[in-house]
Amino acid sequence: MNRFPTWKIIVVAIVCAFGILYTLPNFVSKSTLSGLPDWLPTKQVNLGLDLQGGSHLLLQVDAGTVKTKMMDSLVDGVRDSLRQQGDNIGYRNLSHDGAVVSFTLRDPADEATARERLSDLSNIMANGQRDVVIASDDGRVTLTPSEAAITTRLSAAVDQSIEIVRRRVDETGVNEPTIQRQGSDRILVQLPGIDDPDRIKRLLGETAQLTFHLVDLTADVGAAGRVPPGSKRLPGIEEDGRTYIIKSRIMVSGENLEDAQATFQQGQPVVSIRFDGLGAKQFGQATTENVGKPFAIVLDNKVVSAPRINEPILGGSAVISGGFNVAGAQDLALLLRAGALPAPLDILEERSVGPDLGADSIAAGEIAGIIGIIAVAVYMIVSYGLFGIFANVALAMNIFLIMAVLSVLGATLTLPGIAGIVLTIGMAVDANVLIFERIREEIRVGKTPLNAVNSGFARAFTTIIDANVTTGIAAIILFVMGSGPVKGFAVTLLIGIISSMFTAIMLSRMLISFWMQRKRPKTLEI
Amino acid sequence: MYKIKLVPDNTAIPFLKYRMIAFILSAVLILGSLGAFITIGFNKGIDFEGGILIEIGTETSPELSDMRASLGGLGLGQVALQTFGTDTDILIRVQRQEGDASAQQEAVDVIKQQLASDYGEEISYRRVEFVGPTVSQELVIAATEAVVIAVLAMLVYIWLRFEWHYSVGAVIALVHDVILTIGMFSITGIEFNLASVAAILTIVGYSINDTVVVYDRIRENFRRYKKLSVAELVNLSINETLTRTVMTSVTTLLALLALYIFGGEVIRGFATAMIFGVVVGTYSSIFVAAPILIHIGLTHQKEEEDGFAGAERTDEDAEEKG
């Protein structure tokens, strides 16, 4: 090799131009970027929450509630099927234990008819199996939802929760939130720029299931009183120990809401709600038939208030009052607008970083990076002289390439990611060191400068590949298995390994070839 | 132009002569590390232990003892306070609360209320993190899996590229490095968190990198010098790659030192572990990975039987004549 092939020069030039061009937007403010022509790259490196400040929440959908609700509705379904107008099938002990719904027929002879009616509850799923397995033995009938059916239901609940979480977060006006599913029953919420996530956490912590019930006036509200069947005792929202006994039957539910707004009534913050067509009809009917009785407004199994129905409310609008402050009324209105969660969400993990700490981390990372580069660069020059400068050009380009690839991929730069870049600075020169040491050895055995350079590069090549592939394996495993910030570290490490191989093997080789062609050195100082 | 050379040309240190001393030293360090890990154990961060971590910034530097007394009286169990980098930056750690994830959340609220009533507006929250018990257990499992899979993946790669003697030697060196790093974490009490696992995996990557460079030279020298004994070959290879080994360690250490000194408090634990790992990884490549090849039966015959000769490189002199 006397000349560096032209195609390689073109490749190196293109890659270097790409590296510089796509790194530059990171040094320009966002407002300047928006003014630039479209053909220029404008993508900046995404800063992780630990650098720009923000909140990371890992939520889990309460699978227990989803399952209980599924079983409850199956019990309702069984009841409706057996009690058909004019043709009841007698049964007793209809209940579920969390996994199986069971009841006993009063007359075992009804078994065939009962199974015939229940067959509507058991459907064939996509995988060819039935979602509910019905079995009977001597008048005792069981209905067991299959594993697949439960998984499907849970999955649907998670999808629905994600949608509701997204609506609630959007209503609060957070910029560019990330809301995604993680694993089977988890939701990852990332809220950049939020330094106090308390309000959002509170909003996500409410299921916000709103229902309207009649109050059971026959029951004794006193603590010792027995609760009649078909009714239940619920606490008031004030947490003052007061309880209510209400009828379990839901007269109107929050699913039929069309809008909710915080307003004032007689100087008190209240929430005005408007029902959709079906809701308005149900609400009108319930209030018409129960004038003079109290009507309980229940939110997440707590009674907000139980005002007396003074007259039928037919317009589809109502007001919820319950001693709210302004913020409380606004939050409730927001929750009702966004809709109810199918099950409660637990916060498994929170990581919130204030903007100050993020800015400090960036500043510290920049200083460490710059000092690291200078130290390594100086050491390379004192060790290899001119060849050290070639290696340093490769090192600088390496950093541009890492930044450019991070920008283009839209990868997230985290604090460990910065550590990865600084570490890469130290390790990136390794390929050049391997090559230069080989060249030294070749010179020592008496080769001419050109031959020494050529065989130095050739012989170091396989070593560089083997050494970097093994480090790359570690980086890939970190990327696959790691989470959050650690992933960010793996990404920069991996990009750094690839780009350092390119800059050491191609770029520094090109520089050395150019230099040798110009100077045609008789001896090699390295 | 004067150039620094940490390793002079034609260095010939009889490393293999000292290999028994190195093996004994390594064995002692491994036993000590395991002992420290069993008796002292990790100072586990909230990633693996669960619990709460709050970093606050204050305008004046409050008495830590007052704050400790105030927060300690909240009935949240162990509350540890320390300044973090500066006097006005305080790290509060609270042990994992009994019960489910919401118990952690409630404890955070209680602490915030107490701090607000003690110090009012003076306090800003720089960082609030809590990790519930389920998540922390999963993180422990994932981290262990990651390290084991990484080591196995290296074993396979080196087996494919070299032959089994080398992969066994490399893995012994890797396990050596990982155990010593675990011992370092146990003895120093540096917080062991997700970043520490990243550090261990990077050490694995760095150490194998170093080892592969030496192995590559041993393999090459096997083809070149048919008459030298295996021990002489290994020793020659270590010496030939010594300059590179030292150079790369120094550049990596320079970058890590910059990170340790200027990179901020959050990253310091990571930088410390990496510095330790680079030193240990360099040591193990020279004193463990290479010498151990002799003891697991690497011979000339073996090399030829496997048919590696000539597969990688033809005689480079032929190329030059052309």
Side-chain angles (χ1 to χ4, degrees), chain A residues 2-4 512-521:
Chain A
N2 294 321
R3 279 200 52 184
F4 196 69
I512 291 167
S513 297
F514 286 168
W515 172 77
M516 301 232 343
Q517 272 177 44
R518 272 178 66 95
K519 297 277 178 189
R520 303 200 175 274

Side-chain angles (χ1 to χ4, degrees), chain A residues 341-352:
Chain A
L341 288 169
L345 293 174
D346 294 323
I347 303 178
L348 295 185
E349 185 185 339
E350 176 192 339
R351 294 172 196 268
S352 299

Side-chain angles (χ1 to χ4, degrees), chain B residues 10 35 42 56 68 85 88 103 126 130 141 147 188 197 245 251 253:
Chain B
N10 301 317
F42 288 144
I56 53 171
R68 196 172 284 131
T88 54
R126 287 167 69 83
F130 72 79
I141 295 167
V147 175
T188 58
V197 177
T245 307
T251 56
L253 284 174

Side-chain angles (χ1 to χ4, degrees), chain B residues 97-283:
Chain B
Q97 304 295 302
E98 288 297 321
D100 58 4
S102 62
Q104 322 296 324
Q105 179 63 55
E106 283 156 21
V108 171
D109 292 341
V110 168
I111 294 166
K112 282 188 169 179
Q113 276 164 21
Q114 185 65 35
L115 288 173
S117 79
D118 289 354
Y119 300 96
E121 291 294 300
E122 224 188 287
I123 286 178
S124 63
Y125 291 92
R126 287 167 69 83
R127 187 155 54 123
V128 177
E129 299 183 351
F130 72 79
V131 178
T134 24
V135 175
S136 59
Q137 272 169 25
E138 288 167 10
L139 291 175
V140 171
I141 295 167
T144 317
E145 279 176 2
V147 175
V148 172
I149 291 174
V151 171
L152 290 179
M154 314 259 158
L155 182 109
V156 172
Y157 181 78
I158 295 179
W159 196 345
L160 293 177
R161 289 287 295 161
F162 294 80
E163 54 156 311
W164 71 267
H165 293 102
Y166 294 91
S167 73
V168 171
V171 165
I172 290 174
L174 280 187
V175 172
H176 169 272
D177 298 345
V178 170
I179 291 178
L180 258 53
T181 310
I182 287 172
M184 189 274 301
F185 272 106
S186 305
I187 291 167
T188 58
I190 293 174
E191 187 183 297
F192 194 83
N193 50 31
L194 282 176
S196 313
V197 177
I200 290 186
L201 280 170
T202 318
I203 291 168
V204 166
Y206 181 87
S207 167
I208 197 86
N209 184 307
D210 242 16
T211 303
V212 164
V213 171
V214 180
Y215 279 3
D216 206 61
R217 185 57 70 102
I218 293 174
R219 182 172 61 179
E220 185 185 328
N221 283 342
F222 258 115
R223 284 176 212 132
R224 202 189 281 176
Y225 307 103
K226 306 276 183 199
K227 301 219 169 83
L228 284 184
S229 75
V230 177
E232 284 167 322
L233 265 176
V234 170
N235 206 50
L236 176 71
S237 307
I238 297 173
N239 275 296
E240 281 180 351
T241 51
L242 192 62
T243 324
R244 176 268 162 190
T245 307
V246 172
M247 268 303 290
T248 300
S249 299
V250 170
T251 56
T252 308
L253 284 174
L254 283 174
L256 286 171
L257 271 176
L259 207 54
Y260 178 84
I261 299 169
F262 305 103
E265 206 58 40
V266 183
I267 216 74
R268 193 154 294 159
F270 175 83
T272 313
M274 280 302 305
I275 289 172
F276 178 84
V278 168
V279 173
V280 169
T282 307
Y283 162 84

Side-chain angles (χ1 to χ4, degrees), chain A residues 141-404:
Chain A
V141 184
T142 57
L143 294 90
T144 315
S146 67
E147 275 303 316
I150 295 169
T151 313
T152 310
R153 176 67 72 96
L154 184 58
S155 176
V158 175
D159 288 340
Q160 196 187 344
S161 300
I162 289 175
E163 185 51 38
I164 303 294
V165 166
R166 189 185 312 281
R167 280 193 227 155
R168 289 186 187 177
V169 170
D170 284 346
E171 290 262 3
T172 62
V174 178
N175 274 326
E176 298 178 36
T178 310
I179 297 157
Q180 61 193 45
R181 191 194 189 112
Q182 201 169 66
S184 65
D185 58 354
R186 292 183 183 172
I187 304 169
L188 178 67
V189 180
Q190 296 199 297
L191 309 164
I194 297 286
D195 56 346
D196 178 19
D198 287 353
R199 175 163 179 243
I200 289 186
K201 282 194 301 193
R202 214 168 41 240
L203 288 175
L204 296 181
E206 305 280 349
T207 31
Q209 266 165 356
L210 181 73
T211 48
F212 293 84
H213 301 256
L214 289 172
V215 175
D216 191 343
L217 297 169
T218 62
D220 174 12
V221 188
R226 248 190 93 248
V227 179
S231 294
K232 56 186 173 182
R233 182 189 293 276
L234 290 182
I237 208 160
E238 303 278 357
E239 294 182 346
D240 55 2
R242 188 173 165 195
T243 60
Y244 299 79
I245 294 179
I246 60 156
K247 299 203 167 167
S248 299
R249 188 171 158 222
I250 295 168
M251 305 302 286
V252 195
S253 100
E255 284 168 29
N256 298 110
L257 281 183
E258 202 168 74
D259 193 20
Q261 293 294 335
T263 51
F264 286 89
Q265 197 176 57
Q266 291 153 6
Q268 287 295 311
V270 295
V271 177
S272 313
I273 53 175
R274 202 174 69 238
F275 289 104
D276 61 11
L278 178 63
K281 205 176 126 205
Q282 290 173 336
F283 196 73
Q285 196 181 356
T287 51
T288 307
E289 289 168 3
N290 298 288
V291 171
K293 294 178 190 165
F295 203 32
I297 304 167
V298 177
L299 181 69
D300 291 343
N301 287 322
K302 285 180 185 155
V303 178
V304 179
S305 59
R308 180 179 300 276
I309 303 168
N310 293 322
E311 55 188 359
I313 303 168
L314 302 169
S317 295
V319 161
I320 304 173
S321 60
F324 305 118
N325 55 24
V326 177
Q330 279 169 348
D331 283 354
L332 178 57
L334 183 157
L335 289 172
L336 293 178
R337 273 199 307 276
L341 288 169
L345 293 174
D346 294 323
I347 303 178
L348 295 185
E349 185 185 339
E350 176 192 339
R351 294 172 196 268
S352 299
V353 170
D356 295 352
L357 180 61
D360 290 357
S361 295
I362 295 177
E366 278 175 2
I367 294 174
I370 290 167
I371 292 178
I373 292 172
I374 294 173
V376 170
V378 168
Y379 184 64
M380 286 300 282
I381 292 175
V382 298
S383 297
Y384 296 116
L386 182 62
F387 278 66
I389 294 174
F390 293 144
N392 288 339
V393 173
L395 174 63
M397 186 47 66
N398 185 29
I399 291 163
F400 275 111
L401 283 178
I402 295 175
M403 292 298 284

